[in-house]
Amino acid sequence: MPVAVRARALSWYQQTHLQRFSSGAVSLHSVCLSVSCGEIMSDVGSEDFEDEQGYLGEYEGERNEAGERHGLGRAVLVNGDSYQGMYERGKRSGQGTYRFKNGARYVGEYYMNLKHGQGIFYYPDGSKYEGSWVDDQRQGHGIYTYPNGDTYDGEWLQHQRHGQGVYTYHDTGSKYIGTWVMGKMESAGELIHLKHRYQGNFLKNNPTGPGKYVFDIGCEQHGEYVQEDQDKGDAEEEEPVTTTVLKWKPSAVTGLSHWAAAKDSPSSGWDLSEEGKGQTTQEKLKGDQSPILENNDQ
């Protein structure tokens, strides 16, 4: 399709669907809601459980010469929790299953009473984490399934999404592929919808700076997201309320091209498109990237 035809097709698409992007009338708050920037991620307060306290409760199983729990055993704690699995010198170490009184359950590896290694945690709210643990925290690669059906498949650090990962929204099928920093979308990333996608950089879950929309009709719209302050309230008020508005400012319409991450991004040169995921690219777009997700195509 010639670029001129693509441009006319995109112009029609904007009139019927994307007019609010071109007008810049997209508030920072609405952007966060549309991309569900952590609003429906349900791992807050999901692991405030009591652990075993010393040797209180009942125990049946193997012991060593010093009388310590050692080998296969089963313990029922005074708080109602239970553990069945391997012990080493009085500590949970090796494979085991810990059942919490509130219905939660952990099946996996322990070391010195801490979840450490590979394991699955079933949370009381119906969510589940399957992956790597370090010193009782989600760390390394793991898959978290949330109560609403959303999933995150990627890297973790100290219980937080951190590193490269994919968050998939169950209700719409939309997904974010890119970088996370302590639970938030940061740096290079791509937000994919049913009929279009946005490629760019994030800052604290919000798009920022240059980026581009890629449309299934075979063209791209390049532009930039900027934050602007807007005053609201009565003009007679001495201190008007100021809100931050995120505006998309389009600059050009082109044919399809590859997308490369920003130079200052941890994943610099990594093509996150479906056609070239995980590959480096020699082609660099003018500017860099910053994404926003709208669910109207779902």
Side-chain angles (χ1 to χ4, degrees):
M1 182 186 296
V3 173
V5 176
R6 293 194 188 105
R8 289 195 296 271
L10 178 59
S11 177
W12 171 85
Y13 194 83
Q14 286 176 315
Q15 292 175 8
T16 59
H17 181 68
L18 296 174
Q19 187 173 8
R20 59 184 167 282
F21 292 138
S22 301
S23 67
V26 181
S27 71
L28 188 61
H29 179 66
S30 66
V31 169
C32 283
L33 290 180
S34 66
V35 301
S36 300
C37 293
E39 299 294 329
I40 58 176
M41 300 179 185
S42 61
D43 56 349
V44 178
S46 58
E47 202 172 6
D48 296 330
F49 306 122
E50 290 186 48
D51 199 358
E52 183 176 0
Q53 302 296 319
Y55 290 95
L56 298 179
E58 302 176 358
Y59 174 77
E60 294 180 359
E62 300 174 338
R63 296 180 182 270
N64 58 17
E65 294 180 355
E68 299 171 313
R69 301 175 184 181
H70 193 87
L72 182 62
R74 182 177 186 275
V76 178
L77 285 64
V78 292
N79 68 352
D81 294 352
S82 67
Y83 170 78
Q84 182 169 353
M86 300 303 296
Y87 284 86
E88 183 176 345
R89 301 185 64 179
K91 304 291 185 181
R92 293 188 301 276
S93 292
Q95 192 72 22
T97 299
Y98 194 107
R99 300 177 185 274
F100 297 88
K101 61 182 179 182
N102 63 358
R105 176 166 50 101
Y106 172 77
V107 180
E109 297 177 290
Y110 276 93
Y111 179 71
M112 298 296 289
N113 271 356
L114 301 177
K115 293 181 288 293
H116 193 93
Q118 294 297 309
I120 306 175
F121 203 112
Y122 301 89
Y123 294 89
D125 62 4
S127 58
K128 180 183 74 172
Y129 172 80
E130 180 175 2
S132 178
W133 297 80
V134 175
D135 293 337
D136 238 18
Q137 295 187 324
R138 297 185 293 271
Q139 189 158 314
H141 179 266
I143 301 174
Y144 200 115
T145 303
Y146 297 86
N148 62 359
D150 290 0
T151 60
Y152 171 78
D153 185 344
E155 298 173 304
W156 296 79
L157 178 66
Q158 298 176 358
H159 268 338
Q160 302 291 321
R161 296 179 292 272
H162 188 89
Q164 294 298 316
V166 179
Y167 191 101
T168 303
Y169 300 87
H170 176 265
D171 289 343
T172 63
S174 298
K175 63 176 62 178
Y176 167 81
I177 303 174
T179 308
W180 299 78
V181 176
M182 299 309 292
K184 296 184 181 296
M185 302 174 188
E186 294 275 345
S187 190
E190 181 176 24
L191 286 165
I192 303 173
H193 290 291
L194 182 62
K195 296 181 180 179
H196 74 281
R197 66 186 64 195
Y198 188 91
Q199 298 170 338
N201 280 335
F202 283 91
L203 179 63
K204 296 181 179 179
N205 279 340
N206 292 307
T208 180
K212 67 176 183 178
Y213 282 96
V214 181
F215 300 94
D216 287 354
I217 58 177
C219 61
E220 302 175 352
Q221 184 187 65
H222 299 257
E224 181 180 12
Y225 273 103
V226 296
Q227 294 185 7
E228 296 183 358
D229 292 335
Q230 286 189 349
D231 293 335
K232 290 187 176 181
D234 297 333
E236 299 179 356
E237 294 182 2
E238 296 182 0
E239 297 183 1
V241 178
T242 300
T243 59
T244 301
V245 176
L246 190 64
K247 289 189 176 182
W248 169 249
K249 295 186 176 181
S251 60
V253 174
T254 69
L256 296 178
S257 62
H258 289 291
W259 175 64
K263 291 182 179 180
D264 59 352
S265 151
S267 53
S268 181
W270 191 39
D271 186 358
L272 295 178
S273 67
E274 290 295 325
E275 297 77 15
K277 198 177 298 178
Q279 300 177 354
T280 59
T281 176
Q282 300 298 322
E283 184 173 323
K284 183 74 173 176
L285 292 177
K286 180 181 179 181
D288 285 304
Q289 45 280 338
S290 71
I292 181 174
L293 180 61
E294 287 290 329
N295 287 331
N296 298 301
D297 278 340
Q298 311 314 317

